[in-house]
Amino acid sequence: MESVSFDFLLRILVALSLGFLLGLERELTNKYAGLRTHILVCLGACIFTIVSIYGFPTFADGDNVIINQATGIRDTGRVAAQIVTGIGFIGAGTVLRNGPMIIGLTTAATLWISAAIGMTCGVGMYDVAGITTVIAVAVLTLIRIFERRFLPTGIKRNRRYKISLYCKIADVDKIHNYLAEAVDNIEEFSTKKLMENPDKSNLSVIFELINKKNAKEIYNKITEVCNPDSIKLQELND
């Protein structure tokens, strides 16, 4: 019994580790579904798979198969099969549409593969799970570099960013005038006055850049223009 428990623990820990690797890539690129989401999806898929195989003694007891005497059926994949359906609801929650732009498809696909890796860990196929994780992380990182360097210009080359900052109200017009010249398209420019400090404002800007324009330079320039109390840059693309 102790060896079986250790085996289950090993499967859970491997699922946690591989989910962490996938989530880390999403977290480093500032996606809404990051470390915690991918770890929990991978871990949950692993647990559901283990329960599906070993959790119902009518069907199985460890490695000793017990056939249901009433039906003659052993269906160890019934619970695990529902993971594929269930993960679709989580993935749908990460997909957003803004005009011609659809955001979050890559993250949804990453959650899907995270669940598949968790299921693979649940059945003890560590080699397949590890290789799949390496391939998935390579696709997310290397293909992104390939797209930016070699693919022709198109709507997918437009990079969308969001800057959130806390600055003086007097500096809002300066920031708007600078961005109107520096970026290709301003999708949203909104301000919110703070009741506790009437001279300050929360500013939120969503804009697009084409090809190799550097969002970090814009971030640094805004910092020079208004010296904000706080500022955050986030990429909104997949």
Side-chain angles (χ1 to χ4, degrees), residues 31 47 67 97 130 132 166 190 217:
K31 307 309 174 188
I47 295 296
I67 302 298
R97 182 181 181 89
T132 302
Y166 180 60
S190 60
E217 293 179 2

Side-chain angles (χ1 to χ4, degrees), residues 165-168 171 175 200 220-231:
L165 63 152
Y166 180 60
C167 64
K168 297 178 181 178
D171 292 328
I175 298 171
K200 298 285 186 176
N220 293 334
K221 183 63 177 180
I222 291 177
T223 303
E224 296 175 6
V225 168
C226 66
N227 191 24
D229 295 341
S230 63
I231 183 170

Side-chain angles (χ1 to χ4, degrees), residues 1-63:
M1 187 65 182
E2 292 181 358
S3 61
V4 174
S5 299
F6 175 78
D7 182 46
F8 290 164
L9 178 62
L10 179 61
R11 298 182 191 193
I12 292 170
L13 291 177
V14 172
L16 187 150
S17 302
L18 298 182
F20 173 86
L21 292 177
L22 278 176
L24 181 62
E25 191 281 334
R26 296 283 86 187
E27 192 75 34
L28 291 176
T29 49
N30 288 321
K31 307 309 174 188
Y32 291 113
L35 268 175
R36 290 176 296 178
T37 305
H38 284 80
I39 289 173
L40 291 176
V41 166
C42 194
L43 189 60
C46 177
I47 295 296
F48 273 122
T49 303
I50 292 174
V51 170
S52 183
I53 298 174
Y54 302 103
F56 303 98
T58 304
F59 297 146
D61 180 13
D63 294 328

Side-chain angles (χ1 to χ4, degrees), residues 205-222:
V205 186
I206 296 178
F207 60 91
E208 289 183 342
L209 294 177
I210 298 177
N211 296 328
K212 297 183 179 181
K213 289 187 178 180
N214 194 338
K216 192 66 176 178
E217 293 179 2
I218 295 174
Y219 172 92
N220 293 334
K221 183 63 177 180
I222 291 177

Side-chain angles (χ1 to χ4, degrees), residues 161-212:
Y161 297 90
K162 179 178 181 180
I163 287 183
S164 304
L165 63 152
Y166 180 60
C167 64
K168 297 178 181 178
I169 293 179
D171 292 328
V172 171
D173 288 338
K174 297 179 183 178
I175 298 171
H176 184 274
N177 292 336
Y178 165 70
L179 289 175
E181 297 180 358
V183 306
D184 298 292
N185 179 41
I186 298 177
E187 292 186 9
E188 177 184 312
F189 190 95
S190 60
T191 60
K192 181 180 179 181
K193 293 183 179 179
L194 302 179
M195 297 296 294
E196 64 275 13
N197 193 341
D199 295 329
K200 298 285 186 176
S201 174
N202 274 334
L203 176 61
S204 177
V205 186
I206 296 178
F207 60 91
E208 289 183 342
L209 294 177
I210 298 177
N211 296 328
K212 297 183 179 181

